[in-house]
């Protein structure tokens, strides 16, 4: 029987690339996204607000009824908020957390019986912001740290059921992502070379096929991963400088970290 991959946030850039790449790898694909942005004539899509538990249960019941199984769940849906701590109200922080964290939690709970039956894999599209500080995005960084912590813990809990977890931490992606509560005059800042949605999708499918637990798409993501572990304070200073501000005193930098190779 053909394996089935369910992808949330499927109408976005990375989501569409995931649908294409998983289909090319031989999977039957089902995409979840908000009803207004789902392509109306594409039978692969199911309209679903992943923060609504009843809608999620209904969507996964339809997937099982149609395809009979779920081998891969890609928790890909996410939104950001660009701005400093006080640029957003609490409702904005709550919305970012609901989509990035609660949405992934709700979808995983709904898919769990099918994933266990298939000895399946959960993929989480996190971010460099999921393991390291990134200036100008406190709501997003908080939500991505939360979802990274959740699924890192669940990797141990779900292993006895035959379910594995792949964490994906891309650097900045061309085109950015959906945002909520954009403050007037605040622009999206980036550092390092941006990667494409297809770059992310290609690496994710390869990781699933190879059984890998960690994916770091982009050179900047790899540098961030190691720099933040070798010298967290050095990483923070370089990142802050490259993203436009420098409120921190200059710390000693490990000789293995070059400022021009800064991170997200």
């Amino acid at each position: 029987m053909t394996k089935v991959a369910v992808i949330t946030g499927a109408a976005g850039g990375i989501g569409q690339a995931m649908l294409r790449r998983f289909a090319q790898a031989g999977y039957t694909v089902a995409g979840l996204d908000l009803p207004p942005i789902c392509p109306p004539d594409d039978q692969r899509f199911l309209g679903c607000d992943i923060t609504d538990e009843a809608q999620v249960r209904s969507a996964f019941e339809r997937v099982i009824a149609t395809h009979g199984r779920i081998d891969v769940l890609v928790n890909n849906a996410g939104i950001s908020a660009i701005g400093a701590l006080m640029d957003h109200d609490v409702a904005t922080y709550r919305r970012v957390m609901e989509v990035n964290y609660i949405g992934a939690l709700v979808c995983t709970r709904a898919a769990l019986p099918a994933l266990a039956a298939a000895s399946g894999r959960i993929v989480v599209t996190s971010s460099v912001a999921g393991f390291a500080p990134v200036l100008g995005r406190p709501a997003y960084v908080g939500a991505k740290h939360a979802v990274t912590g959740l699924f890192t813990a669940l990797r141990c809990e779900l292993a006895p059921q035959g379910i594995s977890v792949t964490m994906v931490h891309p650097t900045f992606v061309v085109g950015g992502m959906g945002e909520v509560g954009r403050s007037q005059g605040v622009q999206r800042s980036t550092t390092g070379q941006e990667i494409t949605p297809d770059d992310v999708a290609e690496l994710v499918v390869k990781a699933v096929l190879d059984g890998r637990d960690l994916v770091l798409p982009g050179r900047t993501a790899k540098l961030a991963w190691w720099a933040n572990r070798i010298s967290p304070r050095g990483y923070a200073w370089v990142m802050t400088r490259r993203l436009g501000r420098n409120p921190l005193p200059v710390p000693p930098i490990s000789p293995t970290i070059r400022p021009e190779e800064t991170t997200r």
Side-chain angles (χ1 to χ4, degrees), residues 19-187:
L19 287 173
R20 183 173 60 255
R21 285 287 183 174
F22 271 102
Q24 290 172 353
Y27 285 77
T28 296
V29 293
L32 272 57
D33 217 315
L34 293 169
I37 63 175
C38 285
D41 300 323
D42 193 332
Q43 298 302 312
R44 300 173 303 171
F45 280 82
L46 292 173
C48 176
D49 179 348
I50 62 167
T51 68
D52 185 314
E53 193 169 2
Q55 288 189 39
V56 170
R57 282 198 304 268
S58 176
F60 278 89
E61 287 170 0
R62 288 174 61 188
V63 170
I64 293 298
T66 302
H67 303 298
R69 60 189 294 156
I70 299 174
D71 298 88
V72 179
L73 168 63
V74 184
N75 286 312
N76 172 69
I79 57 172
S80 185
I82 306 299
L85 173 65
M86 299 303 290
D87 288 342
H88 304 294
D89 58 16
V90 173
T92 297
Y93 283 81
R94 184 174 289 115
R95 181 60 182 166
V96 174
M97 184 65 76
E98 284 176 347
V99 174
N100 291 282
Y101 178 84
I102 298 297
L105 171 65
V106 171
C107 288
T108 299
R109 286 168 60 93
L112 201 61
L115 288 168
S119 296
R121 181 170 289 268
I122 300 166
V123 177
V124 181
T125 306
S126 183
S127 166
V128 169
F131 63 77
V134 177
L135 191 67
R137 297 161 173 80
Y140 182 69
V141 173
K144 287 302 187 182
H145 267 67
V147 77
T148 297
L150 172 65
F151 283 91
T152 300
L154 288 179
R155 180 180 285 127
C156 302
E157 179 179 325
L158 299 179
Q161 300 179 51
I163 301 172
S164 49
V165 175
T166 297
M167 297 301 305
V168 185
H169 298 286
T171 183
F172 294 104
V173 177
V174 172
M177 62 188 304
E179 296 176 23
V180 60
R182 168 70 76 93
S183 299
Q184 186 174 3
V186 176
Q187 300 298 317

